[in-house]
Amino acid sequence: MSINLQVIKDHDELYSRGVEIIQHQLASGATTFGLATGGTMLPLYEKLVSSTIDFSSCQSFNLDEYVGLKASHPESYISFMNKNLFEAKPFAHSELPNGEASDAQQEAERYETLLKQINLDFQLLGIGENGHIGFNEPGTPFEAPTHVVSLTESTRQANARFFDSIDEVPKEAITMGISSILRASTILLIAVGEKKRQALTALIHGEQTIDVPVTALQSHDNIIVLTDLDI
Ligand code: PGA
């Protein structure tokens, strides 16, 4: 296990460090970037947007997308990425799983094939309070490729605040699998706030277990963790 743990208490400084890490990746020749959504990424994307960084010769691949939500829906992950990053900092090509595909399983297979062809230079990750990465919830085998997941009731409830009613919250998503994530050459995990303490402690000090998906990263040899938590 090789985790480069960087504890930075000041959030502005923490996210500036995140931008520096991404700039260093670009300067070192990285061209394929795995991206993430979620509240943790918003300050990072804000800083990237106001920086001079140029992704126009790079490709991006997002971790996940809801199934059955129109791309134009404000809560789709493609909408999130357009609004928070791509409109200001376009990539030469950006891919997310297509949540509108008529056959989600086939779409997951297409996405996995694509990921295998390009091999991500870099992957950005957040974590869930239960240790999920992407939509890989506890119990997901580490070997799983990109796949369709049924969202748990608690995840749907947690996300209901973004929709008019719980009935509108999608029941499924397509997510990169843990094995897909682990193929990235460098992984930057950002975990901010007390709610993430348990999951982050499991990664840094715990045993590897499918009950806490983020512990899969212990098998990777190039992980950077940015956090405001003393672990
Ligand atoms: P958050 O989500 O950044 O909104 O906390 C992270 C995640 O669930 O992966």
Side-chain angles (χ1 to χ4, degrees), residues 47-137:
K47 276 195 183 286
L48 285 172
V49 164
S50 58
S51 76
T52 56
I53 208 157
D54 179 7
F55 291 119
S56 62
S57 55
C58 299
Q59 297 182 65
S60 73
F61 298 83
N62 264 77
L63 279 170
D64 45 17
E65 178 60 285
Y66 289 118
V67 167
L69 207 57
K70 284 201 175 313
S72 58
H73 191 288
E75 292 306 325
S76 72
Y77 288 168
I78 178 68
S79 292
F80 177 103
M81 292 308 301
N82 284 336
K83 177 170 167 233
N84 295 304
L85 187 64
F86 297 157
E87 277 164 15
K89 296 287 178 187
F91 285 68
H93 184 72
S94 286
E95 283 274 347
L96 285 86
N98 177 6
E100 292 187 86
S102 55
D103 184 332
Q105 182 53 42
Q106 215 170 55
E107 171 59 11
E109 285 163 23
R110 180 196 73 86
Y111 204 70
E112 180 71 12
T113 303
L114 202 59
L115 290 171
K116 280 198 166 134
Q117 281 164 357
I118 52 101
N119 230 343
L120 291 171
D121 294 316
F122 177 85
Q123 177 68 55
L124 190 57
L125 276 186
I127 42 172
E129 288 171 44
N130 63 2
H132 74 212
I133 48 177
F135 269 123
N136 294 284
E137 296 291 353

Side-chain angles (χ1 to χ4, degrees), residues 6-204:
Q6 303 190 19
V7 179
I8 304 177
K9 297 282 177 190
D10 181 83
H11 284 182
D12 193 61
E13 214 179 294
L14 182 150
Y15 283 107
S16 293
R17 180 76 193 112
V19 171
E20 272 170 31
I21 290 166
I22 292 170
Q23 274 166 333
H24 177 75
Q25 285 289 313
L26 271 171
S28 313
T31 57
T32 50
F33 288 79
L35 301 176
T37 53
T40 307
M41 299 306 153
L42 285 173
L44 179 72
Y45 293 159
E46 245 175 66
K47 276 195 183 286
L48 285 172
V49 164
S50 58
S51 76
T52 56
I53 208 157
D54 179 7
F55 291 119
S56 62
S57 55
C58 299
Q59 297 182 65
S60 73
F61 298 83
N62 264 77
L63 279 170
D64 45 17
E65 178 60 285
Y66 289 118
V67 167
L69 207 57
K70 284 201 175 313
S72 58
H73 191 288
E75 292 306 325
S76 72
Y77 288 168
I78 178 68
S79 292
F80 177 103
M81 292 308 301
N82 284 336
K83 177 170 167 233
N84 295 304
L85 187 64
F86 297 157
E87 277 164 15
K89 296 287 178 187
F91 285 68
H93 184 72
S94 286
E95 283 274 347
L96 285 86
N98 177 6
E100 292 187 86
S102 55
D103 184 332
Q105 182 53 42
Q106 215 170 55
E107 171 59 11
E109 285 163 23
R110 180 196 73 86
Y111 204 70
E112 180 71 12
T113 303
L114 202 59
L115 290 171
K116 280 198 166 134
Q117 281 164 357
I118 52 101
N119 230 343
L120 291 171
D121 294 316
F122 177 85
Q123 177 68 55
L124 190 57
L125 276 186
I127 42 172
E129 288 171 44
N130 63 2
H132 74 212
I133 48 177
F135 269 123
N136 294 284
E137 296 291 353
T140 308
F142 291 169
E143 304 74 34
T146 302
H147 60 287
V148 182
V149 289
S150 295
L151 302 183
T152 60
E153 205 42 43
S154 66
T155 297
R156 293 186 68 238
Q157 292 283 358
N159 292 359
R161 66 188 191 279
F162 301 120
F163 294 83
D164 289 337
S165 78
I166 180 85
D167 299 333
E168 274 190 38
V169 184
K171 294 194 165 67
E172 290 183 325
I174 297 172
T175 184
M176 277 191 206
I178 292 172
S179 69
S180 336
I181 293 169
L182 289 177
R183 282 196 304 270
S185 304
T186 300
I187 296 177
L188 170 61
L189 176 85
I190 306 182
V192 169
E194 277 302 323
K195 284 181 172 177
K196 306 295 170 75
R197 181 178 292 281
Q198 205 176 343
L200 194 59
T201 303
L203 168 63
I204 308 292

